[in-house]
Amino acid sequence: MTMELTYKQAGDYLIPDLEVDGADEREEMPLDKYGMLRETFLEEHHPGTHTSMLLTGRLYPHLREIDRQAREQVDRMVADLKKQNGVDEAMKARDQMGWVQAVNSFTAQAEEIVLAEIVYK
């Protein structure tokens, strides 16, 4: 099976007309925080892998999966930390600022771990 490659003129250069499978996926399901961080990490530290995944249509499914895994792990870890430290709805009712500080602290701890173990691995 041969595939004919076409080109378009861009100034003095001929640029190949390439269509990436799944190119519309980015518009259909935009990436959240962890997916975007993963894409930036791949672009900066593994450009060959990023390009290969992009051209083969594997990049956006990969980024969405990383995003899903990271969000689920952060949610799970924050819930566990809240339970271990007695940060519950009763605390939220009696000390709202203390509750917010605790949850923010737990979220920061969980994100630090998730970024190292999932996003930047």
Side-chain angles (χ1 to χ4, degrees), residues 7-62:
Y7 296 86
K8 62 183 173 186
Q9 188 78 34
D12 293 336
Y13 301 98
L14 288 175
I15 308 293
D17 271 335
L18 298 176
E19 185 174 311
V20 179
D21 290 340
D24 294 333
E25 291 179 29
R26 189 172 203 166
E27 290 81 27
E28 290 174 15
M29 291 185 67
L31 298 173
D32 287 330
K33 176 182 180 176
Y34 304 108
M36 289 188 290
L37 289 171
R38 176 66 174 179
E39 182 173 24
T40 300
F41 172 74
L42 288 174
E43 285 175 333
E44 293 176 359
H45 299 282
H46 301 283
T49 300
H50 178 269
T51 301
S52 172
M53 291 178 80
L54 179 64
L55 293 175
T56 58
R58 297 176 316 181
L59 181 62
Y60 293 106
H62 169 75

Side-chain angles (χ1 to χ4, degrees), residues 1-115:
M1 177 179 161
T2 61
M3 185 169 67
E4 188 173 322
L5 191 56
T6 60
Y7 296 86
K8 62 183 173 186
Q9 188 78 34
D12 293 336
Y13 301 98
L14 288 175
I15 308 293
D17 271 335
L18 298 176
E19 185 174 311
V20 179
D21 290 340
D24 294 333
E25 291 179 29
R26 189 172 203 166
E27 290 81 27
E28 290 174 15
M29 291 185 67
L31 298 173
D32 287 330
K33 176 182 180 176
Y34 304 108
M36 289 188 290
L37 289 171
R38 176 66 174 179
E39 182 173 24
T40 300
F41 172 74
L42 288 174
E43 285 175 333
E44 293 176 359
H45 299 282
H46 301 283
T49 300
H50 178 269
T51 301
S52 172
M53 291 178 80
L54 179 64
L55 293 175
T56 58
R58 297 176 316 181
L59 181 62
Y60 293 106
H62 169 75
L63 297 175
R64 279 193 292 281
E65 179 61 20
I66 291 293
D67 189 73
R68 183 194 62 76
Q69 287 177 10
R71 276 187 286 113
E72 287 177 1
Q73 185 69 16
V74 167
D75 292 346
R76 204 171 20 255
M77 292 173 76
V78 169
D80 289 346
L81 287 167
K82 284 169 57 178
K83 188 174 183 178
Q84 291 170 7
N85 292 284
V87 177
D88 55 12
E89 292 300 312
M91 179 187 179
K92 185 177 182 180
R94 92 176 158 271
D95 181 13
Q96 194 171 27
M97 288 305 293
W99 183 88
V100 168
Q101 289 173 339
V103 171
N104 286 345
S105 174
F106 299 154
T107 302
Q109 291 173 38
E111 283 189 339
E112 186 175 334
I113 293 167
V114 165
L115 289 174

